[in-house]
Amino acid sequence: MIMKVLLHTCCADCALKIIATVGNNVTLFYYNPNIHPRAEYQSRLAAVKKIALENKIKLIVPDWKPDEYFERVKNDGDRCKNCWYLRIIKTAEYAKENGFEQFSTTLLSSKYQNRITIEKMAKEIGGEGGVEFLKIENINREMKTSGFYKQFFCGCCYSLTERFEEKYGKTK
């Protein structure tokens, strides 16, 4: 039996790695209020639209509301965990409300993310929310993808700053 799976999607590169593992029987859910600036958000969305079209996969794009991200990360020192939580819980809620049997996230394929923490968090959120988290095994994180926009940071403005500091050094 084929399960109805909602796949939180952060970017085309990560989505292709998951699709190569589980096939294209997923619906992509592009919920990323963390991605900044807006031009970055739009570039990633255009790439996700391209791979969705090429792979004949449905794509759902909620409104971009960066205030949701900043509200979530402002009071806690672990912004990455808060960011993951926000995107995973919104995906699980949407999955439950719209009849999906399972949900997962392309964050599992990203070299910028902590897979173990994300899996644990998503399993707990799924259990509490009444929708199963699909733990995806054997993802080829080294798979080469091309033909669309690729980013060099996780997406948030803080990560962008960190990448520039790594490359050019901290400014005073």
Side-chain angles (χ1 to χ4, degrees), residues 44-151:
R44 291 184 190 208
L45 177 56
V48 169
K49 285 180 177 179
K50 180 179 179 180
I51 65 140
L53 184 64
E54 289 173 359
N55 290 280
K56 298 178 175 68
I57 298 173
K58 183 177 179 183
L59 170 63
I60 298 163
V61 184
D63 289 340
W64 184 65
K65 297 179 182 175
D67 289 351
E68 292 177 353
Y69 167 74
F70 287 112
E71 184 64 32
R72 180 76 200 172
V73 301
K74 75 178 182 182
N75 293 324
D76 188 338
D78 196 337
R79 75 166 191 272
C80 294
K81 267 188 176 176
N82 278 297
C83 182
W84 299 328
Y85 181 86
L86 174 63
R87 293 187 285 162
I88 291 167
I89 198 161
K90 292 284 187 176
T91 304
E93 288 170 353
Y94 188 94
K96 179 71 172 171
E97 292 166 5
N98 291 278
F100 288 88
E101 297 159 285
Q102 295 178 314
F103 76 97
S104 195
T105 177
T106 60
L107 294 170
L108 299 175
S109 70
S110 174
K111 65 182 179 182
Y112 298 113
Q113 313 302 327
N114 182 323
R115 179 186 171 103
I116 294 167
T117 300
I118 291 167
E119 285 176 348
K120 182 178 182 223
M121 182 185 295
K123 186 174 181 183
E124 289 172 8
I125 289 170
E128 292 166 4
V131 62
E132 182 183 356
F133 169 66
L134 175 61
K135 180 179 174 182
I136 301 170
E137 302 286 352
N138 303 317
I139 301 165
N140 182 355
R141 287 177 190 76
E142 304 306 317
M143 183 177 116
K144 301 295 180 208
T145 59
S146 63
F148 53 85
Y149 171 76
K150 287 184 150 192
Q151 61 285 339

